[in-house]
């Protein structure tokens, strides 16, 4: 139980807690809507055909009462509204357990535009494959898709990270020895037909699953042949005549049960060797993080209090505790796994010279400390956890003369060349180069998740809006327009609204800048399952930090 110094501190805690609970409630309401995919009518239509929905298929396939972390639930949020939206990007997936083995599971949601691929669908599917490749864990595709969404074909078809990259990855994963299992549980057409057949083994559901390069309508238009889809590419055709598929299932449940049986027989390979002991819970209630995390981005808090509610037994061995205090580094365990934690400190702290330092800002000494700590973790094969609440690097003549660019580059280099698994949690602010230095999406974290309080942007909203206002007002004045105070306020309000909309965690998650938005109390689960997945890849390269200026 947290102890308060006075009534004011207790009141602040309760206000923070209420604000966080409201944000979590908002997140859960959004997710409840997303879970319906294309809506209840389309779910009913799927059931009328004797088919399960994407989420029902995943729930049936994975071990009952086991953990499942969904990746990209909020993908597509607020996007493609002119086409009716694309909940979860039209595909559901994540990491779960099948017969006790961690697998990536990917299921097309046929209730969303018949499972058609929007541009963000392609990006999300590539993310699933990336996770399987990084961690060398099996990937299971539950295919039910009408193929590329034709009105946007130019944004999904030809480029390096578009639709074709999926099949390239199929081939690469096969060469890497990563098991791929595909089940054709509905439509599978055109180029999409290559995905299941480039997998190691493929199953098809009788009467509902079809696979072909061109459907019956296109066949008639192209060569004049009259044939129905079932005869053209149904289960009987491909299991008895063409030999394209390996197993014929009578229905969805039979198909998923067969996948379980196949996974159950897969052999085991070496481990990376990340250290794990028997797990213990934090001494402090994890839900107290709700009250510790300020509802205002301007207010300080002590990140040690967050760490104490994330790590086993609340034990944290701090590195260089008295130096570079705006970044906190140290060793701990999360669900038994050894981790190195790098966390921004938003509390106002004194430097070694006795000067007050702004919370959430990276100074020369904190950048230097974090870089050294990251290199130590790589030497010791300890996974890294970044807790982001950063407004950027310190600016001004004093920092520039002290070489902040050099020290920042040192930290960015250490993060970039790190070979141990990295996991990033955006708790609050994630601005500018601070996002990079604290292992933002561009720096290959195995997972990057955000709390409902997360905000990802090139700079804070107030600063950005004022900067954009100056630019826009100057442009209007150059055209001879008179800008009254009322007009200036109108412009500022419009800019601020647009900028704030673009910095919400949902905007970031919809574009896969974040893998998920999570309840803070689920942070331990994400990190633990992430390290467990990473431990399947025994091929950990030797750490080479490159050229780092000192």
């Amino acid at each position: 139980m947290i102890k308060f110094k006075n009534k004011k501190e207790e009141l602040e805690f309760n206000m923070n807690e209420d604000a966080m609970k409201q944000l979590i409630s908002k997140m859960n309401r959004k997710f409840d809507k997303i879970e319906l995919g294309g809506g209840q009518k389309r779910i009913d239509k799927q059931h009328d055909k004797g088919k399960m929905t994407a989420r029902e298929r995943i729930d049936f396939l994975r071990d009952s009462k086991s953990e499942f972390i969904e990746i990209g639930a909020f993908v597509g949020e607020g996007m493609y509204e002119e086409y009716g939206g694309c909940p979860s990007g039209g595909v559901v997936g994540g990491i779960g357990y099948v017969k006790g083995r961690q697998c990536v599971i990917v299921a097309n949601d046929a209730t969303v535009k018949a499972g058609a691929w929007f541009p963000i669908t392609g990006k999300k599917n590539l993310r699933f494959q990336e996770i399987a490749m990084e961690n060398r864990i099996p990937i299971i595709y539950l295919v039910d898709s009408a193929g590329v969404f034709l009105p946007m074909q130019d944004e999904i078809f030809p480029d390096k990270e578009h639709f074709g990259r999926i099949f390239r990855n199929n081939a690469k994963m096969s060469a890497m020895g990563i098991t791929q299992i595909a089940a054709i549980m509905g439509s599978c057409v055109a180029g999409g037909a290559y995905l299941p057949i480039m997998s190691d083994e493929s199953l098809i559901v009788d009467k509902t699953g079809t696979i072909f390069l061109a459907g019956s309508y296109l066949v008639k238009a192209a060569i004049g042949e009259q044939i129905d889809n079932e005869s053209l590419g149904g289960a009987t055709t491909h299991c008895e005549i063409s030999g394209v598929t390996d197993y014929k299932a009578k229905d969805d449940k039979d198909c998923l049960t067969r996948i379980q049986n196949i996974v159950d027989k897969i052999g085991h390979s070496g481990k990376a060797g990340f250290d794990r002991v028997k797990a213990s819970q934090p001494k402090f209630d994890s839900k107290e993080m709700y009250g510790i995390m300020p509802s205002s981005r301007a207010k300080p808090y002590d990140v040690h209090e967050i760490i104490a509610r994330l790590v086993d037994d609340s034990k944290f061995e701090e590195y260089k505790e008295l130096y570079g205090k705006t970044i906190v580094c140290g060793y701990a365990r999360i669900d038994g796994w050894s981790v190195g934690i790098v966390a921004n400190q938003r509390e106002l702290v004194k430097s070694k010279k006795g000067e007050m330092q702004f919370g959430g800002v990276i100074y020369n000494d904190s950048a230097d400390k974090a870089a050294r700590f990251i290199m130590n973790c790589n030497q010791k094969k300890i996974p890294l956890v970044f807790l982001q609440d950063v407004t950027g690097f310190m600016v001004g003549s004093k920092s520039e003369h002290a070489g902040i660019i050099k020290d920042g580059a040192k930290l960015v280099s250490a993060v970039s060349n790190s070979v141990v698994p990295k996991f990033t949690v955006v708790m609050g602010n994630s601005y500018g180069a601070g996002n990079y230095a604290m292992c933002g999406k561009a720096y290959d974290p195995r997972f990057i998740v955000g709390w409902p309080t997360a905000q990802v942007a090139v700079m804070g909203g107030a600063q950005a809006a004022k900067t954009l206002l100056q630019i826009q007002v100057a442009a209007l004045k150059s055209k001879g327009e008179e800008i009254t105070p009322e007009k200036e306020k109108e412009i500022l309000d419009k800019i601020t609204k647009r900028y704030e909309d673009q910095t919400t965690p949902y905007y970031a998650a919809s574009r896969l800048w974040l893998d998920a938005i999570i309840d803070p109390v689920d942070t331990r689960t994400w990190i633990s399952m992430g390290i467990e997945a990473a431990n399947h890849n025994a091929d950990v390269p030797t750490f080479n930090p490159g050229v780092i200026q000192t």
Side-chain angles (χ1 to χ4, degrees):
M1 177 68 70
I2 195 164
K3 293 182 180 179
F4 303 105
K5 296 175 185 175
N6 50 53
K7 287 287 184 183
K8 183 181 178 183
E9 192 177 87
E10 184 177 3
L11 178 62
E12 181 112 359
F13 179 94
N14 291 335
M15 289 172 65
N16 291 340
E17 184 179 44
D18 288 344
M20 179 67 85
K21 284 181 176 178
Q22 286 176 22
L23 289 173
I24 291 169
S25 177
K26 176 184 177 182
M27 176 184 74
N28 289 336
R29 288 196 304 272
K30 280 180 174 286
F31 182 73
D32 288 344
K33 185 177 179 182
I34 285 167
E35 273 193 310
L36 293 173
Q40 190 60 50
K41 286 184 179 179
R42 287 178 181 158
I43 290 173
D44 293 341
K45 191 174 180 181
Q46 188 94 334
H47 290 160
D48 290 343
K49 293 177 181 177
K51 296 164 67 177
M52 302 164 78
T53 66
R55 292 183 183 278
E56 289 168 346
R57 287 166 176 168
I58 291 172
D59 286 344
F60 186 92
L61 177 63
R62 66 186 182 89
D63 299 345
S64 62
K65 297 181 180 179
S66 65
E67 293 283 2
F68 177 75
I69 51 176
E70 182 171 346
I71 294 155
F74 293 99
V75 161
E77 170 79 8
M79 299 171 70
Y80 314 122
E81 296 295 343
E82 66 273 32
Y83 298 113
C86 187
S88 277
V91 62
V92 181
I95 294 183
Y97 297 89
V98 179
K99 292 295 182 178
R101 182 186 291 268
Q102 271 194 331
C103 298
V104 176
I105 308 171
V106 187
N108 297 115
D109 187 350
T111 70
V112 179
K113 292 287 187 294
W117 288 53
F118 285 73
I120 200 66
T121 316
K123 185 174 183 180
K124 186 172 176 180
N125 275 272
L126 286 169
R127 178 67 180 127
F128 289 133
Q129 290 186 320
E130 179 183 44
I131 291 166
M133 293 167 83
E134 281 182 330
N135 300 297
R136 301 206 176 205
I137 57 177
I139 182 167
I140 299 166
Y141 309 98
L142 307 179
V143 183
D144 194 346
S145 171
V148 166
F149 185 62
L150 288 177
M152 303 189 76
Q153 63 86 26
D154 60 320
E155 295 182 44
I156 181 62
F157 169 65
D159 210 344
K160 180 179 178 181
E161 296 198 349
H162 283 178
F163 197 63
R165 190 77 171 182
I166 303 287
F167 317 132
R168 175 263 188 195
N169 285 351
N170 288 141
K172 289 288 186 182
M173 281 192 280
S174 182
M176 292 168 69
I178 297 169
T179 299
Q180 300 176 83
I181 300 167
I184 302 151
M185 308 184 78
S187 297
C188 184
V189 301
Y194 287 106
L195 184 147
I197 309 311
M198 292 186 75
S199 298
D200 300 328
E201 293 181 275
S202 60
L203 305 88
I204 186 168
V205 178
D206 193 25
K207 299 296 185 287
T208 57
T210 54
I211 177 170
F212 32 62
L213 292 180
S216 56
Y217 292 123
L218 186 54
V219 167
K220 184 176 181 181
I223 62 173
E225 182 182 0
Q226 185 80 37
I227 189 169
D228 63 87
N229 282 338
E230 182 64 27
S231 301
L232 183 65
T236 299
T237 296
H238 286 309
C239 287
E240 298 181 22
I241 300 172
S242 71
V244 165
T245 51
D246 304 312
Y247 305 92
K248 181 180 180 180
K250 62 182 181 182
D251 55 27
D252 279 13
K253 289 184 178 180
D254 180 44
C255 181
L256 297 167
T257 301
R258 285 168 176 253
I259 293 173
Q260 292 169 340
N261 294 336
I262 293 168
V263 172
D264 191 40
K265 311 301 187 298
I266 300 172
H268 294 270
S269 55
K271 303 288 186 183
F274 303 123
D275 187 62
R276 191 180 199 184
V277 298
K278 185 178 179 181
S280 60
Q281 291 296 314
K283 281 185 176 178
F284 303 99
D285 186 352
S286 293
K287 286 190 176 180
E288 289 178 350
M289 290 188 288
Y290 296 170
I292 293 167
M293 194 71 192
S295 56
S296 168
R297 298 188 181 278
K299 290 186 178 179
Y301 66 95
D302 187 356
V303 78
H304 293 91
E305 296 294 337
I306 297 290
I307 293 170
R309 286 153 182 82
L310 287 178
V311 303
D312 290 14
D313 209 30
S314 299
K315 289 181 178 178
F316 181 61
E317 190 68 32
E318 189 164 355
Y319 173 80
K320 288 185 180 287
E321 180 182 356
L322 304 176
Y323 180 79
K325 291 185 178 181
T326 62
I327 291 185
V328 172
C329 301
Y331 303 105
R333 290 189 182 275
I334 292 179
D335 198 31
W337 293 104
S338 170
V339 297
I341 294 175
V342 182
N344 298 115
Q345 176 63 294
R346 210 161 92 186
E347 188 176 47
L348 289 172
V349 295
K350 285 186 179 180
S351 72
K352 60 182 178 179
K353 296 178 182 178
E355 300 166 335
M356 290 305 295
Q357 295 184 333
F358 295 104
V361 178
I362 302 174
Y363 288 78
N364 298 73
D365 53 359
S366 49
D368 175 74
K369 177 175 84 170
R372 289 171 180 265
F373 180 72
I374 289 166
M375 289 187 277
N376 280 346
C377 288
N378 275 272
Q379 292 281 60
K380 298 172 184 175
K381 202 188 275 191
I382 299 173
L384 285 158
V385 175
F386 292 83
L387 303 179
Q388 278 197 14
D389 193 349
V390 58
T391 52
F393 286 89
M394 190 60 191
V395 298
S397 60
K398 189 173 180 181
S399 291
E400 296 294 357
H401 294 171
I404 188 66
I405 296 174
K406 178 187 69 177
D407 289 323
K410 186 191 303 183
L411 176 53
V412 170
S413 293
V415 173
S416 302
N417 289 311
S418 177
V419 296
V420 295
K422 299 170 294 201
F423 302 89
T424 302
V425 181
V426 184
M427 304 184 301
N429 304 316
S430 181
Y431 297 158
N435 169 281
Y436 303 159
M438 292 295 293
C439 198
K441 183 66 184 285
Y443 291 81
D444 297 323
R446 295 298 175 97
F447 291 133
I448 177 169
V449 298
W451 290 358
T453 44
Q455 193 171 83
V456 182
V458 73
M459 65 175 73
Q463 303 96 307
K466 288 175 183 176
T467 303
L468 291 166
L469 174 66
Q470 291 172 19
I471 294 168
Q472 195 164 329
V473 167
L476 291 171
K477 284 182 177 179
S478 69
K479 295 176 182 177
E481 290 192 34
E482 182 182 347
I483 306 298
T484 64
E486 293 76 19
K487 178 68 173 177
E488 187 170 305
K489 184 181 183 302
E490 182 186 332
I491 296 170
L492 178 60
D493 289 345
K494 189 175 180 180
I495 291 171
T496 301
K497 172 68 168 61
R498 185 175 71 245
Y499 196 85
E500 286 178 350
D501 288 345
Q502 292 176 355
T503 59
T504 69
Y506 300 101
Y507 192 92
S510 72
R511 289 150 180 82
L512 267 179
W513 303 346
L514 299 175
D515 287 317
I517 306 169
I518 66 169
D519 187 323
V521 300
D522 293 331
T523 304
R524 279 171 55 88
T525 299
W526 274 81
I527 293 170
S528 176
M529 286 188 68
I531 298 175
E532 183 182 346
N535 201 41
H536 288 95
N537 186 353
D539 184 19
V540 181
T542 302
F543 177 59
N544 181 352
V547 177
I548 294 184
Q549 295 186 33
T550 57

